[in-house]
Amino acid sequence: MSLNFWSKLLFVMCLGGSTEAHPHVFVDARTGFIFDADGQLEALRILWTYDEFTTLILLESLNLDQDGDGKFNDADRLAVVEGETNWDPEYKGDVYLEVAGQDYPLGRPEAAAVTFENNQVEVSFELPLSQPVMVSGTPALLRLYDPIFFYAYTILPEVRPDSLPEGCQAQIVSFEPDAVTSAIQQKLAALRREEAPSQENVGRLFSDEVHLTCG
């Protein structure tokens, strides 16, 4: 997710005596695909809605909504944008794109925006591809996951599905547990909050996917 390492450490510190460590943060996500005038995929549209507990920690850690009116001012929004989209160089934002079965490099967040409604913080931004790519006849696959599965993402339908070019479809394939992944989930849930999973990139096993097909 867009939270950097310092934010993840803060969550661990704020969880008190909780023993179950994976996952702790739950995010409803919406994704979209942005095409240029030549019909090439040029950027991703990403939106996260944080659960109420995560929102509470963000409010306290960043000193947001100090007047208690349930609304963010410009300073509040700027603090969230800075903390959530100003990523370290090695951080991928828990966003992974494949084109023709190969990882496709992405840029850094742009056009970030923040809202605060129904006691939940929502962060949205665009994530440009390293360079536009033609996906007509070439499958593209988008995943959102935290490699250590501290965060769990649920991908929901895009608000503007009609924004896709004619002939393109985006289908969400939700994670469905089987015997193997259910057993791994039980082991992860038993970890103490300061422990990290021993299995590398374990969050990928539980990720929803968005399949983009064009032409």
Side-chain angles (χ1 to χ4, degrees):
M1 171 180 168
S2 56
L3 295 177
N4 288 309
F5 175 79
W6 66 268
S7 299
K8 294 186 178 183
L9 181 61
L10 177 63
F11 272 97
V12 173
M13 294 171 63
C14 290
L15 288 172
S18 178
T19 57
E20 295 187 355
H22 300 273
H24 259 313
V25 178
F26 298 88
V27 183
D28 286 340
R30 299 182 190 273
T31 64
F33 299 93
I34 302 173
F35 289 77
D36 64 17
D38 296 323
Q40 298 182 106
L41 179 63
E42 66 174 355
L44 306 175
R45 186 182 300 110
I46 304 296
L47 183 150
W48 283 302
T49 302
Y50 303 155
D51 65 78
E52 291 190 16
F53 180 68
T54 303
T55 293
L56 178 61
I57 292 179
L58 284 174
L59 291 175
E60 294 181 352
S61 63
L62 298 179
N63 296 314
L64 306 175
D65 187 29
Q66 293 199 22
D67 58 10
D69 66 354
K71 299 178 181 179
F72 280 175
N73 58 30
D74 290 343
D76 292 333
R77 286 187 286 270
L78 181 61
V80 176
V81 166
E82 177 67 19
E84 300 303 288
T85 65
N86 186 18
W87 301 343
D88 294 334
E90 68 277 7
Y91 184 63
K92 296 184 177 181
D94 293 351
V95 180
Y96 301 89
L97 177 69
E98 293 181 10
V99 177
Q102 299 296 318
D103 289 337
Y104 202 89
L106 302 170
R108 316 308 289 171
E110 299 177 352
V114 174
T115 62
F116 179 41
E117 296 180 2
N118 301 318
N119 297 317
Q120 292 180 282
V121 168
E122 182 177 276
V123 177
S124 62
F125 55 89
E126 295 177 4
L127 199 58
L129 277 60
S130 57
Q131 62 182 30
V133 61
M134 186 65 70
V135 294
S136 179
T138 302
L141 175 66
L142 177 63
R143 294 186 179 93
L144 272 63
Y145 65 89
D146 174 11
I148 64 171
F149 200 45
F150 198 87
Y151 301 90
Y153 296 89
T154 299
I155 299 180
L156 304 177
E158 188 187 9
V159 175
R160 296 178 293 171
D162 57 344
S163 63
L164 289 174
E166 185 177 356
C168 292
Q169 291 184 334
Q171 179 184 8
I172 298 172
V173 179
S174 300
F175 164 71
E176 293 290 345
D178 55 23
V180 173
T181 53
S182 294
I184 295 174
Q185 284 179 315
Q186 291 179 8
K187 292 180 180 179
L188 293 174
L191 292 175
R192 293 190 299 272
R193 62 182 182 272
E194 69 273 13
E195 292 182 302
S198 59
Q199 183 170 340
E200 185 177 355
N201 213 28
V202 68
R204 181 185 172 113
L205 298 176
F206 312 107
S207 62
D208 292 345
E209 301 176 354
V210 183
H211 296 193
L212 175 66
T213 56
C214 294

